[in-house]
Amino acid sequence: MTSGYIGVSVERDDLAFLDGTACYVADVDREGQLYARVVRSPVAHARILDIDVAEALAQPGVVAVITAADIPETRIPIRLPMAETPYTHLFLQPPLAREVVRYVGEPVAVVVASDPYLAEDAAELVDVDFDELDVVSDILSATTQGTPLVHAEAGTNIVATVPLGYGDVEAAFARADVVIRDRLRMHRHTAVPMETRGLLAEMDHGTGVLTLWGAAKVKHFTRSALSSMLGIERHRIRLVENHVGGGFGVRGEPYPEDFLVAFLALRLGRPIKWIEDRAEHFVATNHAREQEHDLEIAATADGRLLAFRDRAWCDQGAYVRSQGILPALLPALHLPGPYRWEAFSVETRGVLTNRTPVGTYRGPGMTEATFVRERMLDKLAAELRLDPAELRRRNLIRPGELPFSFEPAPITYESGDFPAGFEHLLDEVGYDDLCKQRQVRRASGEHVGIGFAAYTEIGAIGPFEEARIVPRSDGRFVVHVGVASLGQGVETVLGQIAAEKLGVPMDAVSIDHHDTEKLADGFGAFASRSTTLAGNAVALAAEDLRAKAAARLDVPAGEIRFVQGQVREPSGRTIPLAEVGEGRGRFDKPHPTFSFGAALSLVSIDRETGLVKVLRHAVLHDVGRAVNPELLRRQLAGAASQGIGAALLEELLYDEYGQPQSTIMADYRMPTVEELPDIEVIVEERPNTANPLGVKGGGESGMVGTPAAIANAVADALGVEGARVWRLPLTPDRVREMLRHH
Amino acid sequence: MPHVDQHLSGDWLEADESVRIRLVANDQELPVEAPPRCTLADALRDNGLKGTRLGCEQGSCGACTVLLDGRPVRSCLMLAVQAEGGRLETVEGLAAGGELHALQRAFHDHGALQCGFCTSGFLMLAAGLLREEPDAGRERIREVLSANLCRCTGGGPILQAVLAAQRELRGGRG
């Protein structure tokens, strides 16, 4: 078979994971390497009076100890222009704390030793004298009068205010028959990939090139960031992606450790290895999600949505990291969702607290916005005594209204059929039957509930991706791309696109996403963008290679074939493929694509314990076109599994002193096969008109509606008391508390 | 360098003083020189068996699961010296004679892995279970698999894969 790969569930080559030969960064070793251990702040907010490294330095095997005094004055930059404001630079993080520490886990010093055990021992002996300061331990107190300041010199704990508006909100509210208002809170949780972060840096003194293994997600940006922070040219830094044990948004951003490990390799002239341990991971790697919304919705008596007003406090943690103000911007963009509002006004604020900085986790902003909006829609349905499905039906934007824009808010829905998608979900799960079952089970005394959520998901964010297809003399093709593989199977998907567009077998194509040396630029793997951006770039590069080859033989591009290292045209003339050069493609994407998704959950509650059990959970997503349906389904199911964990189990708790309470996996409970049902996945393919392949993003969608659907299902199961479901996770103690009033 | 046995009778070792430890992994002698505080996971990984992964070093995630005398252990919570003389099995020994184990094939067929970091641990956990309890029911298998964490798939596909491998292994037994 040499074509027809797109749309086929080609099997992924996963042998290296099955036989143990996969090589993650911890498995890479370099001759003469030393081991770094980061000394972290044990307090949430304090002035550093003194750091005494003498005892640590005197320990066996210890080679160096560095503090802020040993490194240049530099800060980790923001990656996305859209996430940067004139004020964000006030809150950027230095690689090592200078004068003040602002969260538990903030790097204060680094110990380098000949052995990781010895490095860890010595790190315990770095003596830091702290003068503790008052702490901002919650998003709401961050903006109250007289609150402590996380960054005193900035004079405020507000990083950014994101206002979004559409239509005449006052007029719409004035016409409303019903107005409901509530506060809703999404809690702090995060990705927790099974592999912690890790880095290995080595300076090649012959070539003058610094290599950093352990990169992921945004290799090219991290290279640029390191270039400016270290003061060496970009071409002298090479980032290498090894096998990656999960990312989900948190791994592969430039972190303090990326600078520190690279800096130490330069300073000491020896390879430096750092593998994050799990307790560090829980305080050092980006957290996500925590925000509170004050949301007010106006509707007519017959269930037509008119307008909403939202004010939100979105936690940024103690510093603005490489994703800038996305924690405040993304929820704002997702509050309207797939509904036909006449007007809305949104003001989200990114606020600082003395806790681990916040970045993006799978479905960022959209998961939070979907939770608050969909909870409120269920409250509205209850108020109007309307079936929650019917309320949504009446308000989903119709296909004839697309493309639909909420201008001046930068939200445009290009393609899709939201009502058909929603009905598809209800049909697949048998909603009417499910409602009958609910009646029967309730009659026998069970607490069962149904909940759903509809949403839009931003994806396929630009600005562009490039691809190079390099023919080799043995007839194979190497495709260089700038995105990253985090276990999602993107190399299989891009291989399918390349093989189909080149007209060659899959096994003649290999995808190289490992090395910044192989491609001048790349933006990476985030925002469900890899298949859309890199996929279209690969398709263009294949077309370019075909066109170049055809031009050499003076025939139309459609007539040539690539066979065993030759380019052949129909009459039999050939030229060696090696003479054609390489194919290049660049796909620009000035606007993101929003796609439609929906989730439905059936839950039961144990009356004695308050334990919520998810009996059925279904997610639907319009992916435009599924390049590899099976791999996509696995992404959707995996994302939904994480969403169930977020809704019921996982929470990064802090006490009033800013001390983290969840720093081991035993405290941060993630779902296992015991807690999860088999996820039902429904894929819709309504082609995207905005790119040649017709694809939309898909890697995050299963997450986006899941916490909302589960919260709505639990509220439904609780009956009247369900109105009190305003925050997550719905742990047994919280649910039992609500049951008591039942 | 002393052998670890020589110290059992009284001499104290320094924390970072290496001793010789005789490990047997996948039916092969694995002579290890490591301090007594070295974990079994680190000893295996430092001696060429890197397929055993470390996900938490707190005994929670199970990525480091290996079999010791047929029983699953968290190799991050065990010291290498404690495994002295025992028979270890790691993911590297699962495929026999170049042919993948039924579990490895089933994991592939059922999409029981994405990033692959938890896979070695799940394979060894399941291999131990299916050998010890070949007729384990679905709920028993689910219970055992809940000992380990998989962040990418959630674990449902892993359960399907283990059930499929069990069917095949039982069929093979006739």
Side-chain angles (χ1 to χ4, degrees):
Chain A
M1 191 170 81
T2 58
S3 66
Y5 288 113
I6 295 177
V8 178
S9 293
V10 174
E11 289 189 21
R12 186 175 161 226
D13 176 8
D14 49 17
L15 181 63
F17 303 118
L18 294 165
D19 67 9
T21 56
C23 184
Y24 302 89
V25 65
D27 307 326
V28 182
D29 289 305
R30 304 298 294 177
E31 188 69 32
Q33 72 195 14
L34 300 170
Y35 298 84
R37 175 76 183 179
V38 179
V39 179
R40 298 179 185 279
S41 173
V43 293
H45 198 192
R47 250 186 298 279
I48 300 172
L49 301 180
D50 182 51
I51 305 177
D52 183 355
V53 303
E55 194 182 356
L57 207 45
Q59 296 305 303
V62 172
V63 175
V65 182
I66 61 165
T67 68
D70 300 298
I71 65 170
E73 170 84 52
T74 182
R75 286 162 186 254
I76 298 159
I78 292 172
R79 177 162 69 74
L80 300 154
M82 68 191 273
E84 204 162 1
T85 75
Y87 304 104
T88 41
H89 70 273
L90 297 173
F91 311 107
L92 299 181
Q93 183 167 6
L96 290 172
R98 271 181 200 281
E99 293 165 30
V100 177
V101 290
R102 298 184 169 88
Y103 64 94
V104 173
E106 180 166 4
V108 173
V110 187
V111 174
V112 181
S114 57
D115 171 283
Y117 286 55
L118 297 178
E120 198 167 335
D121 287 347
E124 300 279 315
L125 300 172
V126 172
D127 188 8
V128 188
D129 191 2
F130 293 109
D131 176 23
E132 289 201 48
L133 300 167
D134 288 339
V135 164
V136 181
S137 64
D138 184 70
I139 41 177
L140 298 185
S141 63
T143 57
T144 54
Q145 198 77 37
T147 192
L149 291 171
V150 178
H151 295 258
E153 64 286 2
T156 175
N157 287 329
I158 298 174
V159 170
T161 302
V162 180
L164 279 189
Y166 170 71
D168 187 341
V169 177
E170 300 310 318
F173 266 85
R175 284 188 10 248
D177 300 313
V178 188
V179 172
I180 58 167
R181 180 175 179 178
D182 208 348
R183 284 204 171 227
L184 293 136
R185 183 183 275 240
M186 178 64 98
H187 61 303
R188 194 176 253 255
H189 58 280
T190 193
V192 196
M194 296 310 300
E195 183 200 16
T196 57
R197 289 182 299 137
L199 297 159
L200 172 59
E202 180 179 33
M203 183 69 186
D204 182 326
H205 298 286
T207 61
V209 172
L210 175 80
T211 300
L212 191 68
W213 289 266
K217 188 177 178 180
V218 293
K219 294 184 284 290
H220 286 84
F221 177 77
T222 303
R223 181 180 63 166
S224 298
L226 289 176
S227 166
S228 63
M229 294 172 75
L230 293 164
I232 58 179
E233 302 94 318
R234 250 165 46 124
H235 69 268
R236 287 182 53 217
I237 304 176
R238 175 182 164 223
L239 267 72
V240 180
E241 180 184 314
N242 304 94
H243 282 124
V244 172
F248 318 117
V250 300
R251 181 201 304 284
E253 292 285 339
Y255 279 92
E257 295 84 358
D258 293 66
F259 170 86
L260 294 169
V261 171
F263 173 84
L264 284 163
L266 293 174
R267 161 72 67 95
L268 300 174
R270 302 260 305 262
I272 304 291
K273 187 170 184 176
W274 170 75
I275 302 297
E276 185 181 54
D277 77 22
R278 186 56 72 180
E280 280 185 288
H281 181 87
F282 274 115
V283 294
T285 296
N286 285 345
H287 288 183
R289 299 263 200 272
E290 180 162 2
Q291 44 196 260
E292 185 158 321
H293 291 253
D294 179 350
L295 180 59
E296 193 174 16
I297 287 186
T300 62
D302 62 348
R304 202 153 51 78
L305 298 177
L306 292 172
F308 69 86
R309 291 192 192 100
D310 180 72
R311 287 211 312 150
W313 294 258
C314 307
D315 199 356
Q316 295 266 171
Y319 291 97
V320 172
R321 277 193 175 162
S322 54
Q323 292 153 319
I325 64 163
L326 288 189
L329 176 61
L330 287 173
L333 293 175
H334 288 86
L335 277 159
Y339 306 106
R340 195 188 318 95
W341 304 96
E342 287 182 15
F344 58 76
S345 93
V346 175
E347 190 186 273
T348 56
R349 288 168 160 191
V351 302
L352 295 162
T353 60
N354 287 111
R355 301 183 292 186
T356 295
V358 167
T360 56
Y361 166 37
R362 205 175 203 172
M366 48 199 105
T367 303
E368 300 90 308
T370 300
F371 167 68
V372 300
R373 181 191 62 245
E374 296 296 313
R375 268 307 291 135
M376 286 297 276
L377 291 189
D378 268 25
K379 285 165 183 270
L380 178 64
E383 180 88 14
L384 296 171
R385 299 181 185 284
L386 203 57
D387 177 353
E390 184 55 31
L391 174 66
R392 288 167 174 87
R393 244 177 222 135
R394 290 182 191 177
N395 291 285
L396 287 167
I397 295 168
R398 294 181 202 296
E401 297 169 292
L402 300 181
F404 186 98
S405 176
F406 286 117
E407 277 178 15
I411 304 167
T412 300
Y413 306 140
E414 293 157 339
S415 64
D417 187 337
F418 305 168
F422 188 65
E423 294 304 329
H424 190 180
L425 173 71
L426 298 185
D427 287 348
E428 277 299 313
V429 298
Y431 179 58
D432 295 338
D433 258 4
L434 219 53
C435 291
K436 284 179 200 145
Q437 284 177 35
R438 175 177 57 185
Q439 275 315 110
V440 172
R441 297 177 77 150
R442 280 184 179 168
S444 69
E446 275 187 86
H447 292 288
V448 290
I450 302 169
F452 31 78
Y455 54 89
T456 50
E457 182 211 4
I458 202 169
I461 289 177
F464 66 87
E465 279 297 329
E466 294 176 351
R468 285 172 59 209
I469 302 183
V470 182
R472 298 196 329 186
S473 53
D474 63 0
R476 294 175 50 77
F477 300 82
V478 181
V479 184
H480 299 286
V481 293
V483 294
S485 177
L486 309 157
Q488 74 277 51
V490 69
E491 59 286 342
T492 307
V493 167
L494 296 179
Q496 289 175 246
I497 294 168
E500 171 152 330
K501 296 295 180 185
L502 290 168
V504 301
M506 274 288 286
D507 59 15
V509 171
S510 59
I511 300 293
D512 178 11
H513 51 80
H514 302 287
D515 198 325
T516 52
E517 277 200 332
K518 301 293 171 58
L519 197 69
D521 224 330
F523 289 88
F526 58 96
S528 298
R529 70 189 294 281
S530 296
T531 302
T532 308
L533 273 288
N536 277 294
V538 167
L540 292 171
E543 278 169 27
D544 182 52
L545 189 67
R546 291 187 64 89
K548 283 176 177 158
R552 292 288 306 272
L553 286 164
D554 209 19
V555 295
E559 294 189 3
I560 54 123
R561 288 197 303 138
F562 298 128
V563 186
Q564 287 160 356
Q566 303 281 318
V567 185
R568 181 173 296 170
E569 52 94 350
S571 69
R573 286 185 305 140
T574 63
I575 51 164
L577 191 46
E579 291 179 11
V580 179
E582 61 177 58
R584 284 175 177 265
R586 169 176 161 140
F587 183 67
D588 285 273
K589 188 82 169 48
H591 306 294
T593 297
F594 285 86
S595 46
F596 176 80
L600 186 146
S601 206
L602 173 72
V603 306
S604 71
I605 300 172
D606 183 276
R607 189 202 308 267
E608 300 301 317
T609 62
L611 183 74
V612 176
K613 191 163 175 59
V614 183
L615 305 174
R616 284 184 69 183
H617 190 78
V619 290
L620 173 138
H621 180 67
D622 173 11
V623 75
R625 189 176 179 199
V627 176
N628 186 319
E630 185 57 33
L631 291 183
L632 173 70
R633 298 172 79 83
R634 292 176 189 173
Q635 285 302 299
L636 290 164
S641 299
Q642 293 180 345
I644 290 172
L648 298 178
L649 299 167
E650 301 170 27
E651 184 165 22
L652 290 161
L653 288 162
Y654 280 81
D655 73 8
E656 64 197 287
Y657 307 106
Q659 283 292 334
Q661 306 296 297
S662 326
T663 57
I664 57 173
M665 279 175 163
D667 291 334
Y668 188 82
R669 283 203 58 216
M670 298 196 287
T672 72
V673 68
E674 282 273 30
E675 288 85 16
L676 294 168
D678 287 332
I679 309 291
E680 299 163 53
V681 175
I682 306 152
V683 172
E684 290 219 317
E685 296 184 83
R686 302 183 191 278
N688 181 1
T689 47
N691 70 78
L693 291 175
V695 296
K696 303 173 187 174
E700 301 169 86
S701 179
M703 164 67 81
V704 178
T706 292
I710 290 189
N712 280 339
V714 170
D716 182 45
L718 287 168
V720 179
E721 288 300 314
R724 295 170 62 212
V725 174
W726 70 284
R727 65 168 178 171
L728 299 175
L730 292 161
T731 51
D733 54 335
R734 285 188 187 144
V735 173
R736 200 172 56 235
E737 221 291 297
M738 291 185 276
L739 270 172
R740 257 188 227 129
H741 297 269
H742 206 65
Chain B
M1 184 181 306
H3 186 266
V4 64
D5 283 346
Q6 295 168 254
H7 290 272
L8 293 179
S9 54
D11 294 348
W12 289 98
L13 283 165
E14 292 302 315
D16 50 350
E17 186 183 341
S18 282
V19 288
R20 281 200 303 269
I21 309 164
R22 265 191 316 269
L23 298 181
V24 177
N26 306 320
D27 295 325
Q28 298 204 332
E29 291 279 339
L30 188 72
V32 165
E33 289 174 10
R37 65 170 172 167
C38 179
T39 66
L40 176 58
D42 283 341
L44 291 171
R45 290 179 48 78
D46 290 346
N47 287 277
L49 296 176
K50 291 185 173 181
T52 298
R53 317 291 178 192
L54 281 166
C56 70
E57 298 176 274
Q58 299 161 350
S60 290
C61 78
C64 67
T65 303
V66 300
L67 299 181
L68 175 63
D69 295 328
R71 314 266 308 165
V73 295
R74 306 284 213 225
S75 61
C76 74
L77 291 188
M78 182 169 218
L79 300 177
V81 292
Q82 293 175 288
E84 163 89 8
R87 199 171 58 84
L88 290 161
E89 293 170 77
T90 69
V91 70
E92 287 88 352
L94 204 51
E99 194 176 323
L100 291 182
H101 188 279
L103 277 165
Q104 290 169 309
R105 276 181 277 116
F107 269 51
H108 170 80
D109 292 343
H110 290 81
L113 63 139
Q114 288 178 24
C115 82
F117 200 78
C118 70
T119 307
S120 304
F122 267 109
L123 284 169
M124 298 318 292
L125 181 69
L129 172 68
L130 293 185
R131 204 189 300 148
E132 193 77 10
E133 301 174 40
D135 300 316
R138 184 190 174 93
E139 285 316 302
R140 170 64 180 153
I141 294 174
R142 182 194 282 267
E143 181 193 10
V144 171
L145 293 179
S146 75
N148 285 16
L149 290 169
C150 170
R151 194 56 158 165
C152 296
T153 74
I158 297 175
L159 176 61
Q160 299 306 328
V162 174
L163 288 167
Q166 183 189 40
R167 281 194 296 275
E168 186 187 323
L169 290 168
R170 283 160 132 182
R173 216 174 47 207

